[in-house]
Amino acid sequence: MFISGMTGLDETVRIFELRDARSVPDPVHPYPESLRNTPLIIDNGSHHCRVGWATDKEPRIIFRNCYAKHRKDRGKKIAAETEILVANDIVNIEAVRFQLKSPHDENVVTHFEAQETMLDYVFSHLGINTPQVDHPVILTEAFCNPNYSRQLMSELLFECYGVPSVSYCVDGLLSYHHNNPSCPDGLLVNIGNCTTHVIPILNGFADSARSRRIRMGGSHLTRFLWRWLQLRFPHHLNAITLSRAEEILHHHMYIAEDYMEEVAHWSVVDHYEQHVRRIQLPFVAAPVSTVSVEQQRERRKEAARRLVELNAKKREEKLVEDEAELTRLVELEEAMEEFTPDEPEYQHALEEAQVTSLADLTKKISLLQHKIVKTRHKMMQAAAAAPEEEEPKPKRVCEDVSPKRKADLEQWVEEVKQQWRDIQARRAARRHKRQEMAKRRTAASQERMRIISQLARREKKDDNFGMRDEDWDVYKAINKEGGGSDSEEENEKLQELESALRQHSPEFLGDSTASKPTSLAENYQIELSTEQIRIGELLFQPYMYGLEQGGITATIQYVLSLFDAPTQERLVANVFLTGGPSSLPGLKPRIERDLLATRPFQSHFSVTMAKDPVLDPWYGAQGCIGNLMDEGLTRADYLEHGGDCIKHHKYGNQFWASLTPVATESAPESTVPSKETTPAPEATLLSSDPAQELSGDGTSN
């Protein structure tokens, strides 16, 4: 969404507004009898989870795969009640950002307590009200998912929920076969939330041993953009949140076909002005007063009148109290004349008057009489004074100038311009000094630290810094504000000068203030220039993020080098792109350009995109539901072979059997293991950790 705006150069620009979309809580769907024993499809992604019945046209529930524990009544002394907010129940995710918990560690499920919470949310919102979930489950998992993770997932589904069967499949392979039903060979590039996989597919099956993984995905792009914008616009640090960075990524970023050439274009001013994007951050505008000048004048008069009445009332009350006190003290003085100083009544009278002698009492009475006379005099003056105040007449600056004073007017205007320039120069000098103070290795900052160290070395018993006038000069020298700030008197002077210049020399003020913001909204705008291409470039140059791995193009080239030339031709004939971040504009032309540069002369290749990179895995599982049901892991298979066992099919992972350590007797006379306990080289390769076989740095393991 964008709106039109006007800059100081009077040219129309597009200003994009952030939607700040809030999640809506998911309803509890009905659970009719017709859905009994219907397969349930769960695309368990690390960013979003998509759930629906196999008979649905689209997923019923789509939610963020995370939850947060929120404590109610945190400030009270009683024990706070913990509330679990799951997925779309979290309306404002930024409020609980640091309390979010996810079942995934990167793209692998490792936190099964959180996974159980997410499955409870799924089954409850689908309306399943039976003691057990009597539905076959089709569940996606990570490519080359570790056996331990799959075993715990199977244990959770069979033991906790009592599902009859579960079929594991890979989201990228489901998307590939959904979009390429008649193409058994191809090269799959699956860009996920945490990782990117380059998977060769031959005869319909993925070649896991020659696949590679890059530890770069959509979450890395979002976090890089988030920190980049916060560092570039530090005054909008709190307004630039991770959710807004994610929205900016998906709506304003693209991938350059030639990154260095595009960066060179951005150095041209015309290209910058035409392609820069301004994002309007939310802000609260100051309330606009609808009171007229006459109403403000009447309000000031009313406030002044009330203040006068309040002061008069206070004087009257104080006068009554003083007169009563004076009467009491006079009575005590007259009573003391009847007693001698040695009598107890005399001393009691002194204590009641709070004095030590008769002379002090006489002095106190005299002061109180003088105070009463002075108060009555003020009351008489206030009553005689006119309550109304005359409004100050507006200043008239060089009005009705006659032709004979035209030369004087021009000279006066030049003097006003010079005064305006002097004030602006002083302000600029203060801003520059504040910036220099904030830096570490500047001369101003080093001089400040030198003075502070000298003050710290002084050995003095009492801290009397500030008692002398010279200390103020030291304070101004070490103050980060540069020894002063824009004072109110200076601001009033500047406004007076600008008012005069608008009347007698408007062109000067227009040229000088062209770069100043014309509205409050412009102070809450950020500009996107090279960030539009820099973020997407991380997929091709991960070293910009700090990862010592090859990008998508380098990994594709390395994976192809593991095959012979005819097989390479079969793979590049169908390079398929899928995954959420693959929807970034420019990804397909960039890969086509890189393949054209790396493939042999006059060779052919084809790059295709998924129709719906986000939902195609779910639709793919729905389209092949019959095959997945036949290849599922039943409860009997789970009890006989264990939870890590799966049936190999073209939509899922290959089964990597875990090696069981065999205890052998020690043989001190020989260190060579027997043939019975030595695994074959092929078995060692298949049983090794699949994660080690997916290095994305261009080296084989």
Side-chain angles (χ1 to χ4, degrees):
M1 178 180 181
F2 67 89
I3 58 177
S4 297
M6 299 296 294
T7 63
L9 298 177
D10 293 337
E11 58 181 5
T12 304
V13 296
R14 294 196 305 173
I15 302 175
F16 295 85
E17 289 186 339
L18 296 173
R19 295 181 300 175
D20 283 342
R22 300 292 183 92
S23 59
V24 179
D26 294 316
V28 177
H29 295 273
Y31 185 59
E33 290 292 334
S34 59
L35 291 176
R36 304 291 181 180
N37 300 322
T38 302
L40 181 61
I41 303 174
I42 303 177
D43 183 9
N44 192 27
S46 60
H47 188 256
H48 274 80
C49 184
R50 291 157 284 272
V51 184
W53 302 106
T55 56
D56 293 338
K57 294 183 179 180
E58 58 184 12
R60 290 200 176 189
I61 306 175
I62 300 177
F63 58 89
R64 197 180 187 93
N65 213 342
C66 61
Y67 76 98
K69 291 183 178 180
H70 175 67
R71 289 186 179 181
K72 294 182 177 179
D73 303 328
R74 186 184 296 268
K76 297 183 179 180
K77 295 183 179 179
I78 60 176
E81 180 183 354
T82 302
E83 178 186 12
I84 298 180
L85 302 176
V86 183
N88 291 335
D89 292 340
I90 308 174
V91 179
N92 184 10
I93 196 171
E94 293 301 330
V96 293
R97 171 66 67 180
F98 298 103
Q99 302 175 12
L100 293 180
K101 295 183 180 180
S102 172
H104 293 79
D105 186 0
E106 290 192 353
N107 63 329
V108 178
V109 178
T110 57
H111 308 286
F112 286 89
E113 180 182 357
Q115 184 62 59
E116 183 178 357
T117 302
M118 307 311 296
L119 291 177
D120 289 342
Y121 180 85
V122 168
F123 297 143
S124 63
H125 282 75
L126 287 176
I128 300 177
N129 50 13
T130 57
Q132 293 183 344
V133 182
D134 297 327
H135 297 272
V137 175
I138 291 89
L139 182 67
T140 60
E141 63 177 3
F143 183 65
C144 287
N145 190 36
N147 290 344
Y148 183 71
S149 176
R150 186 185 303 115
Q151 178 182 355
L152 293 180
M153 181 66 76
S154 300
E155 181 180 347
L156 178 64
L157 291 173
F158 285 112
E159 301 294 344
C160 182
Y161 297 102
V163 300
S165 66
V166 57
S167 300
Y168 293 102
C169 45
V170 179
D171 55 351
L173 297 178
L174 289 173
S175 179
Y176 176 84
H177 290 290
H178 176 67
N179 289 270
N180 303 274
S182 60
C183 187
D185 301 331
L187 188 65
L188 171 63
V189 180
N190 185 17
I191 307 175
N193 183 49
C194 299
T195 56
T196 298
H197 288 90
V198 179
I199 306 173
I201 299 176
L202 296 172
N203 300 322
F205 289 85
D207 190 347
S208 303
R210 284 178 280 195
S211 301
R212 289 297 178 268
R213 178 183 63 221
I214 309 171
R215 298 186 61 183
M216 176 65 65
S219 62
H220 301 86
L221 305 185
T222 303
R223 290 188 175 275
F224 186 86
L225 175 62
W226 174 50
R227 292 299 299 150
W228 180 276
L229 293 178
Q230 284 187 334
L231 291 174
R232 185 181 174 189
F233 305 99
H235 46 289
H236 298 310
L237 188 68
N238 296 327
I240 302 174
T241 61
L242 201 59
S243 299
R244 289 169 181 166
E246 184 176 355
E247 180 181 346
I248 293 174
L249 171 66
H250 289 287
H251 292 87
H252 304 284
M253 302 292 111
Y254 67 94
I255 297 176
E257 188 172 345
D258 189 336
Y259 179 70
M260 298 307 298
E261 182 180 354
E262 190 75 15
V263 170
H265 290 165
W266 277 100
S267 61
V268 181
V269 177
D270 294 338
H271 183 275
Y272 181 92
E273 293 295 337
Q274 293 176 4
H275 296 84
V276 67
R277 294 199 173 195
R278 292 176 174 85
I279 308 298
Q280 180 66 62
L281 298 176
F283 67 97
V284 178
V288 180
S289 178
T290 59
V291 181
S292 61
V293 178
E294 292 75 10
Q295 292 176 342
Q296 293 180 0
R297 187 182 300 109
E298 292 297 330
R299 288 183 179 182
R300 286 196 297 267
K301 290 182 179 180
E302 182 66 21
R305 186 184 61 79
R306 291 179 180 179
L307 183 61
V308 171
E309 292 178 355
L310 181 61
N311 292 334
K313 185 177 180 181
K314 288 183 178 180
R315 290 194 190 99
E316 292 177 358
E317 294 176 354
K318 187 64 175 174
L319 180 61
V320 172
E321 294 177 0
D322 292 342
E323 290 178 346
E325 179 68 13
L326 178 61
T327 303
R328 188 180 69 86
L329 293 179
V330 171
E331 292 177 354
L332 286 176
E333 184 182 21
E334 294 176 354
M336 289 174 62
E337 295 177 354
E338 301 177 359
F339 304 99
T340 60
D342 298 335
E343 294 182 6
E345 290 81 359
Y346 187 89
Q347 297 297 331
H348 179 71
L350 291 177
E351 293 177 359
E352 187 176 353
Q354 297 180 356
V355 292
T356 57
S357 63
L358 183 60
D360 293 340
L361 179 58
T362 304
K363 183 178 180 181
K364 188 174 183 180
I365 293 174
S366 177
L367 293 175
L368 193 56
Q369 290 175 346
H370 178 70
K371 183 178 179 182
I372 292 173
V373 172
K374 188 175 180 180
T375 303
R376 288 176 176 174
H377 181 66
K378 287 184 178 180
M379 293 176 63
M380 292 175 62
Q381 288 182 348
E388 298 183 359
E389 296 181 358
E390 295 183 359
E391 287 291 327
K393 296 181 180 180
K395 297 181 180 180
R396 302 177 64 184
V397 185
C398 287
E399 294 182 353
D400 301 329
V401 180
S402 58
K404 63 180 181 180
R405 296 183 56 193
K406 186 175 181 179
D408 298 338
L409 174 62
E410 294 178 355
Q411 182 180 0
W412 175 83
V413 169
E414 291 298 328
E415 293 177 356
V416 173
K417 290 180 180 179
Q418 187 60 38
Q419 293 178 12
W420 186 89
R421 294 191 190 97
D422 294 342
I423 294 178
Q424 294 292 348
R426 289 196 296 269
R427 286 188 166 189
R430 285 195 294 267
R431 286 195 298 267
H432 178 71
K433 189 170 184 180
R434 284 196 293 267
Q435 294 175 358
E436 293 296 313
M437 285 289 189
K439 298 178 182 179
R440 183 176 180 181
R441 300 186 180 277
T442 57
S445 180
Q446 293 178 358
E447 178 65 17
R448 176 175 178 270
M449 294 306 299
R450 185 187 67 81
I451 297 176
I452 292 177
S453 62
Q454 289 182 354
L455 293 174
R457 284 200 305 267
R458 290 183 180 178
E459 297 179 359
K460 48 187 178 181
K461 298 180 181 180
D462 299 329
D463 187 7
N464 55 2
F465 180 78
M467 301 295 292
R468 301 175 302 171
D469 295 339
E470 293 82 0
D471 295 340
W472 176 246
D473 298 332
V474 178
Y475 171 76
K476 289 192 295 183
I478 65 176
N479 185 19
K480 281 189 175 182
E481 296 296 329
S485 59
D486 299 340
S487 62
E488 184 177 356
E489 181 181 357
E490 188 180 68
N491 292 333
E492 293 178 355
K493 181 65 175 178
L494 189 62
Q495 292 177 1
E496 180 183 347
L497 295 176
E498 289 179 353
S499 176
L501 290 173
R502 285 193 191 95
Q503 182 178 359
H504 300 283
S505 182
E507 67 282 355
F508 170 79
L509 199 59
D511 297 339
S512 302
T513 60
S515 61
K516 295 174 63 177
T518 59
S519 64
L520 180 63
E522 293 188 16
N523 294 330
Y524 293 89
Q525 293 177 4
I526 59 176
E527 293 185 352
L528 301 178
S529 54
T530 56
E531 293 85 3
Q532 300 180 43
I533 60 174
R534 187 187 303 272
I535 306 304
E537 191 65 21
L538 297 180
L539 296 173
F540 297 88
Q541 302 185 46
Y543 70 87
M544 297 170 61
Y545 189 83
L547 294 179
E548 296 181 356
Q549 291 184 328
I552 292 179
T553 304
T555 305
I556 290 176
Q557 186 177 3
Y558 175 76
V559 170
L560 293 176
S561 67
L562 301 177
F563 299 91
D564 54 15
T567 307
Q568 291 183 19
E569 294 294 333
R570 294 167 54 189
L571 293 176
V572 298
N574 182 23
V575 179
F576 181 72
L577 309 178
T578 186
S582 66
S583 59
L584 288 176
L587 178 63
K588 180 181 176 182
R590 173 63 179 272
I591 292 183
E592 289 177 342
R593 177 184 177 277
D594 292 345
L595 286 176
L596 182 62
T598 56
R599 295 298 299 156
F601 179 65
Q602 292 186 347
S603 61
H604 299 280
F605 60 86
S606 175
V607 180
T608 58
M609 293 278 298
K611 296 179 181 178
D612 192 337
V614 177
L615 295 180
D616 274 354
W618 193 91
Y619 292 134
Q622 184 187 40
C624 60
I625 190 68
N627 296 333
L628 292 176
M629 293 296 297
D630 296 337
E631 301 296 339
L633 179 69
T634 63
R635 174 176 287 274
D637 296 333
Y638 165 73
L639 296 176
E640 181 179 357
H641 302 289
D644 60 342
C645 181
I646 56 173
K647 295 181 181 180
H648 183 42
H649 51 86
K650 64 179 182 179
Y651 305 103
N653 286 312
Q654 184 178 354
F655 177 58
W656 305 82
S658 300
L659 282 181
T660 302
V662 180
T664 58
E665 296 181 358
S666 60
E669 65 278 1
S670 176
T671 58
V672 180
S674 62
K675 295 182 179 180
E676 290 77 6
T677 60
T678 304
E682 182 179 2
T684 304
L685 175 61
L686 294 179
S687 61
S688 61
D689 185 5
Q692 297 179 0
E693 296 297 325
L694 298 175
S695 172
D697 56 357
T699 58
S700 60
N701 295 311

